[in-house]
Amino acid sequence: MSEERKSLNFIEQIIEEDLVNGMSKNSLRFRFPPEPNGYLHIGHTKAIGISFGLGEYYDAPVNLRFDDTNPAKEEQEYVDAIKKDVAWLGYKWDKELFSSDYFQQLYDWAVYLIKEGKAYVDSQSSEAMAEQKGTPTQAGVDGPYRNRTIEENLDLFERMKAGEFDEGEHILRAKIDMQHVNMLMRDPIMYRVLKKHHHRTANDWCIYPMYDWTHGESDYIEQISHSLCSLEFKPHRELYDWFLDQVVDPSKLRPKQREFARLNLSYTIMSKRKLLKLVEDGIVNGWDDPRMPTISGLRRRGYTPNAIRKFVETVGVAKRENIIDVSLLEFCIREDLNKTAPRVMVVLNPVKVVITNYPEGKVEWMNAENNQEDESAGYRKVPFSRELFIEKEDFKEEAGNKFFRLKLGSEVRLKNAYIIKAESVVKDTDGNITEIHCTYSEDTERRIKGTLHWVSIAHAVKAEVREYDRLFSDEAPDSHQDKDFMDFINPNSLKTIQAYVEPSLEEAKTGDRFQFQRLGYFNVDDDSTSNQLVFNKTVGLRDAWAKVKPKNNQNSNQQKQPQQNNRSAIDQIKSYGKKYDRMPEDKQVKAKAEIQELAKKVNYDEVEPLFNTSVKKSGTRIITMITLGVLLNNGLEKNEAINEFITKALDDKNALLVEEAKALS
RNA sequence: UGGCCUAUGGUGUAACUGGCAACACGUUGGUUUUUGGUACCAAAGAGUCUAGGUUCGAGCCCUAGUAGGCCAACCA
């Protein structure tokens, strides 16, 4: 078996290493820990894909744990939505758990820490505490309550729990080090008083643990082997470990936190807070608006779990900041839908075609292949008649020969039907084309360049089609210090169209996905009813024609050549430099001749900066030497810089460079 | 005036103990095609942030710089 070794990402490497160092494969366990304070978005799919993917790969359990320690922001609605989304993506969690399940254990441990002198009750204002905390570049100072007695701390903490104090009066802090370089280690808060109703524990508690105190301990309770999170939690790792140190039983598994770079997608935002604002301000119609980068939005838009999982897999896992181009997401959904979506004919922007030699009243039901990528998809019948709709864009009275569509006097194939020839047009008083008169031919075997989709007017069904554009006009809308992401909202992100669809679509059900031939992929929206079909455009087809069109408008051909020649001689020489010393000898000779030719158009000021080229880049130094040789030949005087460059080259390790330098010295 | 993290084609991710910088998307050509889609073929595009060092040999190791990110919520 010549098995190609699959390259592992850094997390997989860590796990493999742990396995090699004696960790049992059975003790592998992961978790996905969302806070139920909003809907999951495409960014979360990366975290989900990593932890659940690892679970699938190692056949290890993965817990779905809701990190619900802040009742002010969390709701049952979000818990339900998150479960639905993770399940829809096709992942199976081992246990559904809640941090709130551990409130009692966490409380007991906190009492233990107090007794050990590792935690104390602070009774200052948050402002005073922030003051004492210092800054990243300046150490903090101890607060006045730091050395309360254990008895006093115990008493106060118990009374906090009993509800004797209002929010903000007292908090419990870990006693670590106010001078620590890591701000998080400067006596972090463990508990605060919050007199809020919790979606699970109701009013049982009025003190709630903070994230740092909760997270590692929860991982420990669940015996999570690898606790994976995004990079911004890196500084928390030290605290995570400190808290574990206080309670861990050495005979049990101790969880490890490791961090990866979160996913960013171009032209969108990933912050729950900002997504919430779009919902609240009515920019979109809810969390599942098809323009939203939420999982529910993508689902409604017509994305498939397969496509999203493929996307996450392709994106990879590493530790550097990234912005992934939406085109990759689009590629993934096209790739999936191309194989699975039935093809169908729909006209979005109609113009009437009359086939003058086709009998009035006659209807033929044509055989149409449902999906040429999938033989099992079968065939359906499509009605053909004398009067049809085609797309306005598919007809021009006159056009060049790159226009493969219908124009006066020439032919085009109607998909699944006949070949037609445009003979004349009928216009209204404003000069708009209202009808195109054609004749048809039944000989369909001929080779014809263009093929158009169409619908029979008499049989067409009206439907609403929603087309979406990106929500933001900027590639990274929330990365500008001077501008708010709301400044980049695209006001035209939704376009509603009345379309004409082939009659077979009357049976389409909510969620069904289709390829509207030559247009793109569409699915039936939730808003669809029995008498009004509503479609969402998931994504367009790749469109090579769209790219030629603009060029056509401004003189077709002469784009490329001049650009090549516009590059300055010195730039062309430099590009030889990149490869020169790696070229085979015969190519090198040719290249050298060309460089010498180009060098005639170069002046000294352009060459001098290249003298500083690093030693490594010997190719560039060689071509510089060749160019310099031509200049010297043409009467340039040697100066100090030139002499130094040549002298240094004479000592170089690269034989070619030495040779060229000798020629000049 | 600090600590930590990161730096490889346009984008993302690889490159096993140091040994010809690879894959995918995107781009550009071409072939096939009753979708200007798909599929297939090909090309262009990186001297691996900079400067040094170690080495027969550095993307990988060392030093110093530069750039970007994160860290001062009773959020997670």
Side-chain angles (χ1 to χ4, degrees):
Chain A
M1 291 250 278
S2 64
E3 190 181 327
E4 187 75 359
R5 182 200 163 117
K6 185 196 165 224
S7 67
L8 304 174
N9 67 46
F10 79 99
I11 294 175
E12 292 163 335
Q13 283 173 22
I14 288 169
I15 295 174
E16 288 296 325
E17 208 168 298
D18 287 340
L19 256 20
V20 167
N21 292 334
M23 180 183 272
S24 144
K25 213 183 150 194
N26 294 331
S27 54
L28 253 24
R29 185 179 287 269
F30 309 96
R31 110 264 92 118
F32 172 61
E35 182 189 11
N37 68 339
Y39 283 63
L40 259 23
H41 53 66
I42 184 80
H44 291 108
T45 60
K46 179 169 177 177
I48 295 171
I50 289 171
S51 286
F52 280 96
L54 252 13
E56 289 178 357
Y57 182 73
Y58 288 105
D59 195 22
V62 183
N63 290 341
L64 175 60
R65 178 167 80 228
F66 292 93
D67 217 343
D68 56 349
T69 57
N70 184 4
K73 290 205 265 174
E74 296 150 7
E75 293 170 30
Q76 186 63 37
E77 176 201 347
Y78 297 129
V79 171
D80 298 336
I82 288 168
K83 283 165 64 178
K84 181 177 174 187
D85 288 346
V86 175
W88 178 75
L89 284 171
Y91 293 109
K92 293 190 175 51
W93 52 88
D94 182 44
K95 298 194 184 79
E96 175 185 333
L97 297 165
F98 295 81
S99 297
S100 52
D101 295 338
Y102 313 133
F103 281 175
Q104 185 60 49
Q105 172 68 79
L106 258 9
Y107 176 80
D108 294 343
W109 272 331
V111 170
Y112 169 73
L113 254 62
I114 294 172
K115 287 181 180 162
E116 292 287 302
K118 300 273 182 60
Y120 64 97
V121 173
D122 200 337
S123 311
Q124 306 179 80
S125 67
S126 59
E127 293 76 22
M129 282 171 46
E131 183 104 355
Q132 290 153 13
K133 203 161 190 181
T135 68
T137 56
Q138 193 184 329
V141 295
D142 293 358
Y145 298 99
R146 197 168 194 269
N147 292 314
R148 281 217 250 238
T149 64
I150 290 174
E151 292 68 32
E152 197 181 353
N153 283 323
L154 247 18
D155 172 61
L156 252 13
F157 188 47
E158 194 156 319
R159 287 162 63 198
M160 281 168 65
K161 181 189 180 233
E164 285 186 35
F165 305 117
D166 287 335
E167 291 182 13
E169 278 190 72
H170 304 283
I171 49 115
L172 185 74
R173 306 176 76 170
K175 194 169 176 177
I176 306 180
D177 179 2
M178 290 302 288
Q179 275 83 250
H180 205 285
V181 280
N182 184 347
M183 297 284 294
L184 287 157
M185 299 296 276
R186 322 241 257 233
D187 289 10
I189 295 172
M190 294 171 67
Y191 274 95
R192 76 285 214 196
V193 173
L194 238 36
K195 299 207 163 162
K196 296 263 172 12
H197 181 268
H198 186 280
H199 67 104
R200 295 192 76 245
T201 61
N203 298 316
D204 293 354
W205 295 86
C206 64
I207 57 171
Y208 290 92
M210 300 287 288
Y211 165 84
D212 287 297
W213 172 234
T214 309
H215 206 93
E217 317 308 280
S218 302
D219 287 341
Y220 175 62
I221 293 168
E222 293 176 22
Q223 290 286 282
I224 302 301
S225 59
H226 300 266
S227 179
L228 308 170
C229 60
S230 50
L231 234 34
E232 66 267 32
F233 289 96
K234 179 71 211 280
H236 293 251
R237 184 149 120 196
E238 200 170 9
L239 220 205
Y240 180 100
D241 285 332
W242 190 91
F243 278 136
L244 282 180
D245 284 340
Q246 311 311 313
V247 305
V248 149
D249 172 348
S251 68
K252 286 188 166 176
L253 178 145
R254 180 195 168 104
K256 276 184 186 182
Q257 174 183 303
R258 292 295 180 269
E259 310 83 9
F260 55 86
R262 66 190 311 160
L263 169 77
N264 295 294
L265 239 203
S266 62
Y267 294 101
T268 192
I269 53 173
M270 288 299 175
S271 138
K272 280 193 213 170
R273 202 193 84 236
K274 291 173 183 169
L275 292 173
L276 178 63
K277 186 167 168 63
L278 295 179
V279 174
E280 284 176 341
D281 287 9
I283 307 290
V284 296
N285 304 313
W287 286 97
D288 69 343
D289 187 293
R291 291 165 291 180
M292 289 284 271
T294 50
I295 296 178
S296 49
L298 291 166
R299 173 169 59 231
R300 186 162 173 189
R301 173 90 172 241
Y303 274 77
T304 60
N306 260 347
I308 294 176
R309 289 174 64 145
K310 178 74 193 299
F311 171 70
V312 168
E313 194 183 302
T314 312
V315 150
V317 181
K319 287 208 263 191
R320 58 176 152 162
E321 299 288 317
N322 57 74
I323 300 181
I324 283 127
D325 205 302
V326 274
S327 65
L328 183 62
L329 219 207
E330 292 179 347
F331 166 78
C332 292
I333 186 60
R334 282 192 194 107
E335 189 188 39
D336 190 25
L337 259 18
N338 176 49
K339 295 190 200 109
T340 55
R343 319 285 135 131
V344 107
M345 292 198 287
V346 170
V347 173
L348 258 24
N349 186 15
V351 61
K352 183 173 175 180
V353 165
V354 179
I355 299 168
T356 52
N357 58 345
Y358 195 86
E360 256 172 275
K362 179 174 176 185
V363 177
E364 276 179 277
W365 288 82
M366 307 301 213
N367 238 355
E369 197 174 7
N370 284 328
N371 186 351
Q372 42 279 87
E373 306 292 320
D374 174 11
E375 281 187 28
S376 70
Y379 288 79
R380 70 184 186 288
K381 297 284 186 186
V382 181
F384 183 83
S385 67
R386 183 181 156 93
E387 297 190 340
L388 313 171
F389 281 140
I390 64 167
E391 300 286 346
K392 265 192 188 134
E393 288 185 5
D394 285 342
F395 176 76
K396 275 186 186 174
E397 289 179 77
E398 282 176 54
N401 56 359
K402 277 198 177 169
F403 185 78
F404 305 155
R405 310 179 181 190
L406 191 61
K407 55 195 171 195
L408 247 24
S410 73
E411 294 187 305
V412 85
R413 183 188 301 278
L414 292 179
K415 180 87 188 167
N416 306 315
Y418 303 113
I419 290 169
I420 58 168
K421 183 178 185 183
E423 309 281 1
S424 61
V425 293
V426 178
K427 294 184 181 177
D428 64 14
T429 49
D430 298 329
N432 301 313
I433 297 169
T434 55
E435 283 180 18
I436 303 162
H437 286 196
C438 300
T439 53
Y440 87 105
S441 137
E442 291 194 354
D443 172 19
T444 58
E445 299 303 302
R446 290 142 52 207
R447 259 183 81 96
I448 290 283
K449 187 72 185 166
T451 302
L452 306 185
H453 62 275
W454 51 272
V455 300
S456 162
I457 296 178
H459 303 84
V461 177
K462 278 194 189 180
E464 179 178 324
V465 171
R466 296 172 184 170
E467 274 194 337
Y468 305 102
D469 196 358
R470 45 177 68 122
L471 251 184
F472 295 96
S473 56
D474 188 85
E475 191 176 47
D478 58 356
S479 69
H480 301 260
Q481 319 92 310
D482 48 331
K483 278 188 177 164
D484 189 70
F485 73 102
M486 295 294 279
D487 297 345
F488 298 108
I489 299 266
N490 171 7
N492 304 312
S493 55
L494 169 64
K495 200 168 118 194
T496 303
I497 298 164
Q498 279 301 320
Y500 294 87
V501 312
E502 63 168 69
S504 73
L505 245 16
E506 267 190 312
E507 283 160 35
K509 292 182 194 58
T510 300
D512 285 355
R513 303 180 178 95
F514 299 93
Q515 186 196 94
F516 290 3
Q517 281 199 308
R518 303 210 302 134
L519 297 174
Y521 296 99
F522 296 73
N523 75 330
V524 181
D525 188 73
D526 299 355
D527 287 346
S528 219
T529 63
S530 52
N531 39 11
Q532 171 70 72
L533 275 169
V534 180
F535 290 94
N536 295 308
K537 180 169 181 175
T538 307
V539 66
L541 258 26
R542 275 186 66 211
D543 188 358
W545 171 238
K547 285 166 196 156
V548 242
K549 250 190 316 191
K551 283 183 200 163
N552 266 5
N553 294 346
Q554 33 156 304
N555 282 342
S556 47
N557 283 339
Q558 33 174 256
Q559 293 261 313
K560 247 187 177 165
Q561 280 301 333
Q563 280 210 341
Q564 287 281 344
N565 294 345
N566 276 346
R567 290 179 60 207
S568 70
I570 189 71
D571 281 344
Q572 292 179 64
I573 289 175
K574 275 197 255 181
S575 66
Y576 278 113
K578 290 184 183 178
K579 306 169 187 162
Y580 192 86
D581 55 344
R582 290 190 299 196
M583 284 176 179
E585 211 171 322
D586 54 325
K587 272 195 174 177
Q588 229 168 43
V589 173
K590 256 174 95 179
K592 184 169 172 180
E594 286 196 44
I595 292 167
Q596 285 171 330
E597 189 58 36
L598 285 161
K600 293 176 186 164
K601 288 182 258 174
V602 172
N603 57 49
Y604 178 68
D605 292 345
E606 292 174 301
V607 179
E608 202 191 70
L610 296 177
F611 292 173
N612 294 323
T613 307
S614 81
V615 181
K616 275 204 287 208
K617 300 178 184 174
S618 39
T620 303
R621 294 167 72 90
I622 294 168
I623 57 96
T624 305
M625 197 63 73
I626 295 170
T627 309
L628 184 60
V630 174
L631 292 184
L632 290 171
N633 245 335
N634 291 347
L636 175 73
E637 299 273 329
K638 280 191 184 174
N639 63 24
E640 215 171 294
I642 294 175
N643 285 328
E644 195 190 320
F645 178 61
I646 295 175
T647 315
K648 211 175 158 193
L650 284 169
D651 283 338
D652 200 88
K653 284 185 276 190
N654 188 303
L656 273 170
L657 179 55
V658 174
E659 196 181 310
E660 294 295 341
K662 272 187 189 158
L664 305 192
S665 62

